[in-house]
mmCIF file of all heavy atoms in Angstrom:
data_model
loop_
_atom_site.group_PDB
_atom_site.id
_atom_site.type_symbol
_atom_site.label_atom_id
_atom_site.label_comp_id
_atom_site.label_asym_id
_atom_site.label_seq_id
_atom_site.Cartn_x
_atom_site.Cartn_y
_atom_site.Cartn_z
ATOM 1 N N ILE Q 150 32.172 154.496 -49.238
ATOM 2 C CA ILE Q 150 30.990 154.457 -50.111
ATOM 3 C C ILE Q 150 31.027 153.201 -50.983
ATOM 4 O O ILE Q 150 29.999 152.560 -51.216
ATOM 5 C CB ILE Q 150 30.905 155.722 -50.977
ATOM 6 C CG1 ILE Q 150 30.740 156.966 -50.093
ATOM 7 C CG2 ILE Q 150 29.732 155.637 -51.954
ATOM 8 C CD1 ILE Q 150 30.829 158.276 -50.846
ATOM 9 N N SER Q 151 32.226 152.822 -51.448
ATOM 10 C CA SER Q 151 32.387 151.587 -52.237
ATOM 11 C C SER Q 151 31.964 150.374 -51.429
ATOM 12 O O SER Q 151 31.268 149.479 -51.925
ATOM 13 C CB SER Q 151 33.848 151.414 -52.666
ATOM 14 O OG SER Q 151 34.281 152.463 -53.478
ATOM 15 N N LEU Q 152 32.416 150.343 -50.174
ATOM 16 C CA LEU Q 152 32.057 149.229 -49.296
ATOM 17 C C LEU Q 152 30.548 149.201 -49.050
ATOM 18 O O LEU Q 152 29.929 148.131 -49.037
ATOM 19 C CB LEU Q 152 32.803 149.351 -47.965
ATOM 20 C CG LEU Q 152 32.627 148.202 -46.970
ATOM 21 C CD1 LEU Q 152 33.075 146.877 -47.585
ATOM 22 C CD2 LEU Q 152 33.398 148.487 -45.690
ATOM 23 N N ALA Q 153 29.957 150.383 -48.876
ATOM 24 C CA ALA Q 153 28.500 150.478 -48.688
ATOM 25 C C ALA Q 153 27.764 149.935 -49.910
ATOM 26 O O ALA Q 153 26.733 149.257 -49.780
ATOM 27 C CB ALA Q 153 28.091 151.924 -48.422
ATOM 28 N N SER Q 154 28.306 150.201 -51.110
ATOM 29 C CA SER Q 154 27.673 149.684 -52.334
ATOM 30 C C SER Q 154 27.741 148.167 -52.373
ATOM 31 O O SER Q 154 26.822 147.507 -52.869
ATOM 32 C CB SER Q 154 28.354 150.278 -53.580
ATOM 33 O OG SER Q 154 29.640 149.706 -53.799
ATOM 34 N N GLY Q 155 28.827 147.587 -51.823
ATOM 35 C CA GLY Q 155 28.942 146.137 -51.756
ATOM 36 C C GLY Q 155 27.934 145.536 -50.787
ATOM 37 O O GLY Q 155 27.346 144.492 -51.058
ATOM 38 N N ILE Q 156 27.718 146.225 -49.645
ATOM 39 C CA ILE Q 156 26.756 145.745 -48.649
ATOM 40 C C ILE Q 156 25.339 145.769 -49.224
ATOM 41 O O ILE Q 156 24.606 144.784 -49.159
ATOM 42 C CB ILE Q 156 26.821 146.607 -47.370
ATOM 43 C CG1 ILE Q 156 28.195 146.443 -46.700
ATOM 44 C CG2 ILE Q 156 25.707 146.209 -46.396
ATOM 45 C CD1 ILE Q 156 28.442 147.408 -45.554
ATOM 46 N N VAL Q 157 24.961 146.909 -49.807
ATOM 47 C CA VAL Q 157 23.627 147.041 -50.398
ATOM 48 C C VAL Q 157 23.473 146.074 -51.573
ATOM 49 O O VAL Q 157 22.417 145.465 -51.757
ATOM 50 C CB VAL Q 157 23.361 148.494 -50.854
ATOM 51 C CG1 VAL Q 157 21.999 148.612 -51.523
ATOM 52 C CG2 VAL Q 157 23.448 149.450 -49.668
ATOM 53 N N GLY Q 158 24.553 145.924 -52.361
ATOM 54 C CA GLY Q 158 24.520 144.995 -53.491
ATOM 55 C C GLY Q 158 24.310 143.557 -53.059
ATOM 56 O O GLY Q 158 23.602 142.798 -53.715
ATOM 57 N N GLY Q 159 24.913 143.172 -51.923
ATOM 58 C CA GLY Q 159 24.738 141.817 -51.406
ATOM 59 C C GLY Q 159 23.297 141.532 -51.031
ATOM 60 O O GLY Q 159 22.747 140.482 -51.384
ATOM 61 N N VAL Q 160 22.663 142.487 -50.330
ATOM 62 C CA VAL Q 160 21.250 142.322 -49.962
ATOM 63 C C VAL Q 160 20.387 142.317 -51.219
ATOM 64 O O VAL Q 160 19.403 141.575 -51.313
ATOM 65 C CB VAL Q 160 20.799 143.453 -49.006
ATOM 66 C CG1 VAL Q 160 19.335 143.267 -48.614
ATOM 67 C CG2 VAL Q 160 21.673 143.484 -47.761
ATOM 68 N N SER Q 161 20.789 143.120 -52.210
ATOM 69 C CA SER Q 161 20.052 143.177 -53.477
ATOM 70 C C SER Q 161 20.048 141.823 -54.182
ATOM 71 O O SER Q 161 19.028 141.398 -54.733
ATOM 72 C CB SER Q 161 20.677 144.241 -54.393
ATOM 73 O OG SER Q 161 20.093 144.217 -55.672
ATOM 74 N N VAL Q 162 21.180 141.136 -54.151
ATOM 75 C CA VAL Q 162 21.274 139.812 -54.786
ATOM 76 C C VAL Q 162 20.397 138.799 -54.056
ATOM 77 O O VAL Q 162 19.804 137.906 -54.671
ATOM 78 C CB VAL Q 162 22.737 139.327 -54.834
ATOM 79 C CG1 VAL Q 162 22.814 137.878 -55.313
ATOM 80 C CG2 VAL Q 162 23.557 140.215 -55.761
ATOM 81 N N LEU Q 163 20.281 138.935 -52.734
ATOM 82 C CA LEU Q 163 19.412 138.040 -51.971
ATOM 83 C C LEU Q 163 17.948 138.216 -52.376
ATOM 84 O O LEU Q 163 17.203 137.238 -52.486
ATOM 85 C CB LEU Q 163 19.576 138.290 -50.470
ATOM 86 C CG LEU Q 163 20.905 137.796 -49.861
ATOM 87 C CD1 LEU Q 163 21.064 138.299 -48.442
ATOM 88 C CD2 LEU Q 163 20.984 136.274 -49.898
ATOM 89 N N THR Q 164 17.537 139.458 -52.610
ATOM 90 C CA THR Q 164 16.165 139.690 -53.093
ATOM 91 C C THR Q 164 16.006 139.151 -54.512
ATOM 92 O O THR Q 164 14.928 138.687 -54.881
ATOM 93 C CB THR Q 164 15.799 141.190 -53.058
ATOM 94 O OG1 THR Q 164 16.702 141.931 -53.897
ATOM 95 C CG2 THR Q 164 15.867 141.748 -51.640
ATOM 96 N N LEU Q 165 17.097 139.198 -55.288
ATOM 97 C CA LEU Q 165 17.064 138.633 -56.641
ATOM 98 C C LEU Q 165 16.839 137.122 -56.576
ATOM 99 O O LEU Q 165 16.059 136.567 -57.347
ATOM 100 C CB LEU Q 165 18.370 138.939 -57.375
ATOM 101 C CG LEU Q 165 18.600 138.218 -58.710
ATOM 102 C CD1 LEU Q 165 17.536 138.597 -59.721
ATOM 103 C CD2 LEU Q 165 19.994 138.521 -59.251
ATOM 104 N N ARG Q 166 17.523 136.457 -55.644
ATOM 105 C CA ARG Q 166 17.359 135.009 -55.495
ATOM 106 C C ARG Q 166 15.910 134.655 -55.184
ATOM 107 O O ARG Q 166 15.376 133.677 -55.713
ATOM 108 C CB ARG Q 166 18.270 134.501 -54.375
ATOM 109 C CG ARG Q 166 19.738 134.435 -54.734
ATOM 110 C CD ARG Q 166 20.516 133.762 -53.628
ATOM 111 N NE ARG Q 166 21.929 133.658 -53.933
ATOM 112 C CZ ARG Q 166 22.820 133.057 -53.140
ATOM 113 N NH1 ARG Q 166 22.414 132.500 -52.010
ATOM 114 N NH2 ARG Q 166 24.084 133.006 -53.471
ATOM 115 N N LYS Q 167 15.284 135.435 -54.309
ATOM 116 C CA LYS Q 167 13.885 135.178 -53.958
ATOM 117 C C LYS Q 167 12.974 135.468 -55.149
ATOM 118 O O LYS Q 167 12.017 134.730 -55.401
ATOM 119 C CB LYS Q 167 13.480 136.045 -52.759
ATOM 120 C CG LYS Q 167 14.288 135.785 -51.492
ATOM 121 C CD LYS Q 167 14.125 134.381 -50.942
ATOM 122 C CE LYS Q 167 12.777 134.155 -50.312
ATOM 123 N NZ LYS Q 167 12.672 132.838 -49.660
ATOM 124 N N ALA Q 168 13.283 136.531 -55.891
ATOM 125 C CA ALA Q 168 12.457 136.890 -57.055
ATOM 126 C C ALA Q 168 12.571 135.843 -58.163
ATOM 127 O O ALA Q 168 11.590 135.547 -58.850
ATOM 128 C CB ALA Q 168 12.875 138.258 -57.584
ATOM 129 N N ARG Q 169 13.776 135.255 -58.324
ATOM 130 C CA ARG Q 169 13.995 134.269 -59.380
ATOM 131 C C ARG Q 169 13.206 132.985 -59.153
ATOM 132 O O ARG Q 169 13.077 132.167 -60.066
ATOM 133 C CB ARG Q 169 15.496 133.936 -59.469
ATOM 134 C CG ARG Q 169 16.340 134.983 -60.187
ATOM 135 C CD ARG Q 169 16.024 135.074 -61.654
ATOM 136 N NE ARG Q 169 16.322 133.851 -62.352
ATOM 137 C CZ ARG Q 169 17.484 133.586 -62.927
ATOM 138 N NH1 ARG Q 169 18.458 134.464 -62.892
ATOM 139 N NH2 ARG Q 169 17.679 132.451 -63.548
ATOM 140 N N GLU Q 170 12.668 132.789 -57.946
ATOM 141 C CA GLU Q 170 11.874 131.591 -57.669
ATOM 142 C C GLU Q 170 10.570 131.585 -58.470
ATOM 143 O O GLU Q 170 10.016 130.522 -58.753
ATOM 144 C CB GLU Q 170 11.565 131.507 -56.167
ATOM 145 C CG GLU Q 170 12.796 131.244 -55.308
ATOM 146 C CD GLU Q 170 12.485 131.281 -53.821
ATOM 147 O OE1 GLU Q 170 11.294 131.449 -53.471
ATOM 148 O OE2 GLU Q 170 13.411 131.145 -53.001
ATOM 149 N N THR Q 171 10.094 132.778 -58.829
ATOM 150 C CA THR Q 171 8.800 132.860 -59.541
ATOM 151 C C THR Q 171 8.857 133.683 -60.824
ATOM 152 O O THR Q 171 7.934 133.604 -61.638
ATOM 153 C CB THR Q 171 7.730 133.484 -58.623
ATOM 154 O OG1 THR Q 171 8.210 134.756 -58.139
ATOM 155 C CG2 THR Q 171 7.441 132.583 -57.435
ATOM 156 N N GLU Q 172 9.932 134.474 -61.012
ATOM 157 C CA GLU Q 172 9.957 135.413 -62.146
ATOM 158 C C GLU Q 172 11.047 135.073 -63.157
ATOM 159 O O GLU Q 172 12.047 134.432 -62.834
ATOM 160 C CB GLU Q 172 10.183 136.854 -61.639
ATOM 161 C CG GLU Q 172 9.390 137.238 -60.410
ATOM 162 C CD GLU Q 172 7.887 137.197 -60.602
ATOM 163 O OE1 GLU Q 172 7.430 137.232 -61.749
ATOM 164 O OE2 GLU Q 172 7.161 137.119 -59.593
ATOM 165 N N SER Q 173 10.851 135.549 -64.397
ATOM 166 C CA SER Q 173 11.855 135.372 -65.439
ATOM 167 C C SER Q 173 12.960 136.418 -65.279
ATOM 168 O O SER Q 173 12.754 137.480 -64.680
ATOM 169 C CB SER Q 173 11.219 135.517 -66.825
ATOM 170 O OG SER Q 173 10.863 136.870 -67.069
ATOM 171 N N THR Q 174 14.125 136.114 -65.826
ATOM 172 C CA THR Q 174 15.273 137.017 -65.728
ATOM 173 C C THR Q 174 14.960 138.378 -66.345
ATOM 174 O O THR Q 174 15.248 139.430 -65.752
ATOM 175 C CB THR Q 174 16.492 136.406 -66.445
ATOM 176 O OG1 THR Q 174 16.830 135.179 -65.803
ATOM 177 C CG2 THR Q 174 17.682 137.347 -66.394
ATOM 178 N N PHE Q 175 14.355 138.373 -67.537
ATOM 179 C CA PHE Q 175 14.123 139.636 -68.240
ATOM 180 C C PHE Q 175 13.040 140.483 -67.577
ATOM 181 O O PHE Q 175 13.078 141.707 -67.649
ATOM 182 C CB PHE Q 175 13.775 139.357 -69.707
ATOM 183 C CG PHE Q 175 14.942 138.846 -70.507
ATOM 184 C CD1 PHE Q 175 14.904 137.581 -71.074
ATOM 185 C CD2 PHE Q 175 16.074 139.617 -70.664
ATOM 186 C CE1 PHE Q 175 15.983 137.101 -71.791
ATOM 187 C CE2 PHE Q 175 17.167 139.149 -71.384
ATOM 188 C CZ PHE Q 175 17.125 137.886 -71.946
ATOM 189 N N LEU Q 176 12.073 139.841 -66.929
ATOM 190 C CA LEU Q 176 11.059 140.608 -66.200
ATOM 191 C C LEU Q 176 11.703 141.342 -65.025
ATOM 192 O O LEU Q 176 11.441 142.529 -64.796
ATOM 193 C CB LEU Q 176 9.941 139.697 -65.702
ATOM 194 C CG LEU Q 176 8.818 140.416 -64.934
ATOM 195 C CD1 LEU Q 176 7.454 139.868 -65.312
ATOM 196 C CD2 LEU Q 176 9.010 140.280 -63.421
ATOM 197 N N ILE Q 177 12.557 140.630 -64.281
ATOM 198 C CA ILE Q 177 13.262 141.251 -63.156
ATOM 199 C C ILE Q 177 14.145 142.386 -63.652
ATOM 200 O O ILE Q 177 14.194 143.465 -63.051
ATOM 201 C CB ILE Q 177 14.111 140.198 -62.415
ATOM 202 C CG1 ILE Q 177 13.209 139.127 -61.778
ATOM 203 C CG2 ILE Q 177 14.974 140.855 -61.338
ATOM 204 C CD1 ILE Q 177 13.966 137.929 -61.255
ATOM 205 N N LEU Q 178 14.822 142.145 -64.774
ATOM 206 C CA LEU Q 178 15.712 143.157 -65.347
ATOM 207 C C LEU Q 178 14.933 144.385 -65.800
ATOM 208 O O LEU Q 178 15.365 145.531 -65.589
ATOM 209 C CB LEU Q 178 16.477 142.548 -66.528
ATOM 210 C CG LEU Q 178 17.664 143.335 -67.083
ATOM 211 C CD1 LEU Q 178 18.691 143.583 -65.991
ATOM 212 C CD2 LEU Q 178 18.297 142.584 -68.244
ATOM 213 N N PHE Q 179 13.762 144.168 -66.402
ATOM 214 C CA PHE Q 179 12.942 145.288 -66.868
ATOM 215 C C PHE Q 179 12.501 146.161 -65.700
ATOM 216 O O PHE Q 179 12.618 147.392 -65.749
ATOM 217 C CB PHE Q 179 11.720 144.766 -67.630
ATOM 218 C CG PHE Q 179 10.727 145.838 -67.977
ATOM 219 C CD1 PHE Q 179 10.986 146.741 -69.004
ATOM 220 C CD2 PHE Q 179 9.532 145.962 -67.273
ATOM 221 C CE1 PHE Q 179 10.075 147.748 -69.315
ATOM 222 C CE2 PHE Q 179 8.621 146.959 -67.578
ATOM 223 C CZ PHE Q 179 8.891 147.857 -68.601
ATOM 224 N N TYR Q 180 12.000 145.545 -64.649
ATOM 225 C CA TYR Q 180 11.558 146.324 -63.482
ATOM 226 C C TYR Q 180 12.731 146.986 -62.777
ATOM 227 O O TYR Q 180 12.603 148.090 -62.239
ATOM 228 C CB TYR Q 180 10.777 145.424 -62.516
ATOM 229 C CG TYR Q 180 9.331 145.261 -62.912
ATOM 230 C CD1 TYR Q 180 8.922 144.217 -63.738
ATOM 231 C CD2 TYR Q 180 8.364 146.179 -62.498
ATOM 232 C CE1 TYR Q 180 7.598 144.072 -64.131
ATOM 233 C CE2 TYR Q 180 7.041 146.045 -62.878
ATOM 234 C CZ TYR Q 180 6.660 144.989 -63.696
ATOM 235 O OH TYR Q 180 5.346 144.857 -64.085
ATOM 236 N N LEU Q 181 13.872 146.301 -62.761
ATOM 237 C CA LEU Q 181 15.075 146.882 -62.175
ATOM 238 C C LEU Q 181 15.424 148.190 -62.881
ATOM 239 O O LEU Q 181 15.695 149.214 -62.240
ATOM 240 C CB LEU Q 181 16.226 145.880 -62.296
ATOM 241 C CG LEU Q 181 17.588 146.217 -61.689
ATOM 242 C CD1 LEU Q 181 18.328 144.930 -61.348
ATOM 243 C CD2 LEU Q 181 18.441 147.031 -62.658
ATOM 244 N N MET Q 182 15.432 148.150 -64.219
ATOM 245 C CA MET Q 182 15.778 149.334 -65.003
ATOM 246 C C MET Q 182 14.720 150.434 -64.873
ATOM 247 O O MET Q 182 15.036 151.626 -64.802
ATOM 248 C CB MET Q 182 15.956 148.952 -66.474
ATOM 249 C CG MET Q 182 17.128 148.033 -66.738
ATOM 250 S SD MET Q 182 18.715 148.784 -66.283
ATOM 251 C CE MET Q 182 19.856 147.438 -66.663
ATOM 252 N N ALA Q 183 13.440 150.039 -64.839
ATOM 253 C CA ALA Q 183 12.354 151.016 -64.729
ATOM 254 C C ALA Q 183 12.388 151.726 -63.372
ATOM 255 O O ALA Q 183 12.304 152.961 -63.287
ATOM 256 C CB ALA Q 183 11.011 150.318 -64.933
ATOM 257 N N ILE Q 184 12.532 150.934 -62.321
ATOM 258 C CA ILE Q 184 12.605 151.512 -60.965
ATOM 259 C C ILE Q 184 13.851 152.375 -60.829
ATOM 260 O O ILE Q 184 13.820 153.463 -60.247
ATOM 261 C CB ILE Q 184 12.600 150.385 -59.907
ATOM 262 C CG1 ILE Q 184 11.236 149.705 -59.880
ATOM 263 C CG2 ILE Q 184 12.942 150.937 -58.519
ATOM 264 C CD1 ILE Q 184 11.198 148.426 -59.058
ATOM 265 N N GLY Q 185 14.963 151.897 -61.399
ATOM 266 C CA GLY Q 185 16.214 152.651 -61.356
ATOM 267 C C GLY Q 185 16.096 153.993 -62.058
ATOM 268 O O GLY Q 185 16.604 155.011 -61.575
ATOM 269 N N THR Q 186 15.424 154.013 -63.199
ATOM 270 C CA THR Q 186 15.250 155.264 -63.949
ATOM 271 C C THR Q 186 14.429 156.274 -63.152
ATOM 272 O O THR Q 186 14.762 157.461 -63.096
ATOM 273 C CB THR Q 186 14.553 154.988 -65.294
ATOM 274 O OG1 THR Q 186 15.350 154.072 -66.063
ATOM 275 C CG2 THR Q 186 14.378 156.268 -66.094
ATOM 276 N N ILE Q 187 13.362 155.809 -62.508
ATOM 277 C CA ILE Q 187 12.489 156.702 -61.736
ATOM 278 C C ILE Q 187 13.221 157.274 -60.518
ATOM 279 O O ILE Q 187 13.270 158.493 -60.308
ATOM 280 C CB ILE Q 187 11.211 155.960 -61.290
ATOM 281 C CG1 ILE Q 187 10.366 155.588 -62.508
ATOM 282 C CG2 ILE Q 187 10.400 156.831 -60.332
ATOM 283 C CD1 ILE Q 187 9.240 154.618 -62.207
ATOM 284 N N ILE Q 188 13.806 156.383 -59.707
ATOM 285 C CA ILE Q 188 14.502 156.832 -58.493
ATOM 286 C C ILE Q 188 15.705 157.696 -58.848
ATOM 287 O O ILE Q 188 15.911 158.780 -58.279
ATOM 288 C CB ILE Q 188 14.952 155.623 -57.649
ATOM 289 C CG1 ILE Q 188 13.738 154.862 -57.118
ATOM 290 C CG2 ILE Q 188 15.834 156.083 -56.483
ATOM 291 C CD1 ILE Q 188 14.087 153.593 -56.361
ATOM 292 N N ASN Q 189 16.495 157.220 -59.808
ATOM 293 C CA ASN Q 189 17.679 157.957 -60.234
ATOM 294 C C ASN Q 189 17.307 159.328 -60.796
ATOM 295 O O ASN Q 189 17.971 160.341 -60.533
ATOM 296 C CB ASN Q 189 18.425 157.144 -61.292
ATOM 297 C CG ASN Q 189 19.915 157.402 -61.272
ATOM 298 O OD1 ASN Q 189 20.718 156.532 -61.577
ATOM 299 N ND2 ASN Q 189 20.327 158.595 -60.923
ATOM 300 N N GLY Q 190 16.204 159.354 -61.570
ATOM 301 C CA GLY Q 190 15.746 160.617 -62.159
ATOM 302 C C GLY Q 190 15.371 161.645 -61.102
ATOM 303 O O GLY Q 190 15.668 162.842 -61.236
ATOM 304 N N LEU Q 191 14.727 161.193 -60.019
ATOM 305 C CA LEU Q 191 14.332 162.091 -58.929
ATOM 306 C C LEU Q 191 15.555 162.706 -58.253
ATOM 307 O O LEU Q 191 15.541 163.879 -57.868
ATOM 308 C CB LEU Q 191 13.487 161.334 -57.903
ATOM 309 C CG LEU Q 191 12.100 160.872 -58.368
ATOM 310 C CD1 LEU Q 191 11.441 160.000 -57.316
ATOM 311 C CD2 LEU Q 191 11.219 162.077 -58.693
ATOM 312 N N PHE Q 192 16.611 161.908 -58.111
ATOM 313 C CA PHE Q 192 17.847 162.424 -57.512
ATOM 314 C C PHE Q 192 18.613 163.327 -58.478
ATOM 315 O O PHE Q 192 19.318 164.249 -58.049
ATOM 316 C CB PHE Q 192 18.756 161.258 -57.085
ATOM 317 C CG PHE Q 192 18.367 160.627 -55.783
ATOM 318 C CD1 PHE Q 192 17.783 159.369 -55.755
ATOM 319 C CD2 PHE Q 192 18.580 161.283 -54.576
ATOM 320 C CE1 PHE Q 192 17.422 158.774 -54.557
ATOM 321 C CE2 PHE Q 192 18.219 160.701 -53.366
ATOM 322 C CZ PHE Q 192 17.639 159.441 -53.354
ATOM 323 N N MET Q 193 18.483 163.041 -59.783
ATOM 324 C CA MET Q 193 19.279 163.758 -60.775
ATOM 325 C C MET Q 193 18.747 165.155 -61.075
ATOM 326 O O MET Q 193 19.533 166.101 -61.244
ATOM 327 C CB MET Q 193 19.337 162.943 -62.073
ATOM 328 C CG MET Q 193 20.179 163.605 -63.161
ATOM 329 S SD MET Q 193 20.008 162.792 -64.767
ATOM 330 C CE MET Q 193 18.312 163.229 -65.217
ATOM 331 N N VAL Q 194 17.436 165.311 -61.151
ATOM 332 C CA VAL Q 194 16.830 166.584 -61.586
ATOM 333 C C VAL Q 194 17.360 167.808 -60.834
ATOM 334 O O VAL Q 194 17.744 168.808 -61.463
ATOM 335 C CB VAL Q 194 15.282 166.506 -61.482
ATOM 336 C CG1 VAL Q 194 14.666 167.890 -61.693
ATOM 337 C CG2 VAL Q 194 14.737 165.517 -62.510
#
Side-chain angles (χ1 to χ4, degrees):
I150 297 172
S151 298
L152 185 59
S154 73
I156 295 171
V157 178
V160 181
S161 173
V162 172
L163 288 170
T164 60
L165 170 62
R166 286 187 179 183
K167 299 297 288 186
R169 282 293 297 269
E170 292 175 3
T171 55
E172 317 298 340
S173 71
T174 299
F175 290 117
L176 181 139
I177 296 169
L178 192 58
F179 172 75
Y180 277 91
L181 183 154
M182 294 298 178
I184 291 170
T186 301
I187 294 168
I188 294 176
N189 210 149
L191 292 173
F192 280 108
M193 181 190 70
V194 170

